[in-house]
Amino acid sequence: AGPCTEDGMSLEEVSEGGISLAQAPTTPVPLGSLQLDGSSTLPGSYMPTGVVQAGPDTLLLSCANQSVWSELSRRMCIAKPPMGLVALLKPTEGSGGHFFPVTHMTTEVQVTSLEFDVPRSLVFLGQQDGIVEVYKLEEEEFKRQWGVTAHSLDVTCLKLWGVDRRYLITCGLDKMLRVLDTVSRDFVAELKVGTAGIACLLPDAAVFMPEVDIMVGSFDQHVYCLT
């Protein structure tokens, strides 16, 4: 593919060379009915929205409840099923790659993105309502710290950025990219990208493109290069 231009790089250009992928020889874990303890399962249909490493042998998994009935029940005030889920996973000994939930928490709003800061043990959750919620993971418990409204529509991706990972880049379906100082809790930069919502981003892109700091994938089928 050629270099990014001001108008972005077409996804057709990116895929011209083709990429071959092979599935690892492990059994996938079904999440349609996620079992969180020995006897019960959460109602609804959960789709994974993010997974990050939380330690040498632990993972953090975020999910959104995609069940139409759960959404209708909540809107009609019939019931209040959880719409979001975050779980701390550890490998099962001798299971050949299977993980089990050590602890979890549910949210009233769908969790759409996830990021984790290992040194500070901070969990950043992007939500469908445009809010970023911050939790501290202490002794396998999620303790809410603070939250901030980052977007007018769904938060689509979160990435920590900078030498000390102080800054959190947030992107949303509102086409906005914002940079949040997680210490002062203020937004220090923002930029409208593309003509549709932002789908994904890659910080520290200068590793392979020297004049580019951030690459952003948009639902308008272009990849934008930012400095």
Side-chain angles (χ1 to χ4, degrees), residues 20-212:
S20 177
L21 299 176
Q23 182 172 319
T26 57
T27 304
V29 179
L31 289 175
S33 182
L34 186 63
Q35 189 162 335
L36 297 172
D37 54 42
S39 58
S40 62
T41 59
L42 284 174
S45 177
Y46 285 86
M47 178 185 73
T49 56
V51 59
V52 295
Q53 187 171 6
D57 63 344
T58 55
L59 297 174
L60 272 174
L61 173 73
S62 64
C63 298
N65 187 351
Q66 299 294 304
S67 168
V68 175
W69 293 113
S70 294
E71 182 68 22
L72 285 175
S73 296
R74 179 171 288 277
R75 290 187 179 185
M76 296 175 67
C77 300
I78 299 174
K80 291 187 176 181
M83 299 304 295
L85 167 73
V86 183
L88 181 67
L89 309 176
K90 287 192 175 182
T92 304
E93 187 175 351
S95 66
H98 286 277
F99 283 73
F100 71 95
V102 177
T103 186
H104 75 282
M105 72 171 184
T106 57
T107 62
E108 293 186 1
V109 183
Q110 286 188 0
V111 178
T112 53
S113 52
L114 169 70
E115 179 64 301
F116 183 66
D117 183 17
V118 176
R120 293 181 290 173
S121 297
L122 291 180
V123 182
F124 299 89
L125 303 179
Q127 299 186 158
Q128 189 181 40
D129 57 5
I131 293 175
V132 174
E133 292 282 0
V134 184
Y135 293 81
K136 192 171 184 65
L137 184 59
E138 289 185 334
E139 298 179 353
E140 299 181 350
E141 287 188 16
F142 296 97
K143 299 180 180 179
R144 187 182 184 277
Q145 303 297 298
W146 50 279
V148 61
T149 299
H151 297 276
S152 59
L153 297 173
D154 305 34
V155 180
T156 53
C157 41
L158 300 172
K159 290 291 182 183
L160 287 165
W161 190 45
V163 177
D164 56 0
R165 294 170 65 85
R166 171 174 175 163
Y167 300 100
L168 181 73
I169 303 175
T170 76
C171 298
L173 287 183
D174 57 1
K175 302 184 286 292
M176 295 301 298
L177 179 149
R178 291 191 168 94
V179 181
L180 174 68
D181 185 331
T182 62
V183 176
S184 68
R185 304 180 187 179
D186 295 322
F187 287 99
V188 296
E190 66 176 30
L191 180 68
K192 184 177 180 180
V193 181
T195 59
I198 298 174
C200 58
L201 82 148
L202 173 68
D204 304 317
V207 173
F208 60 93
M209 294 189 72
E211 297 182 358
V212 175

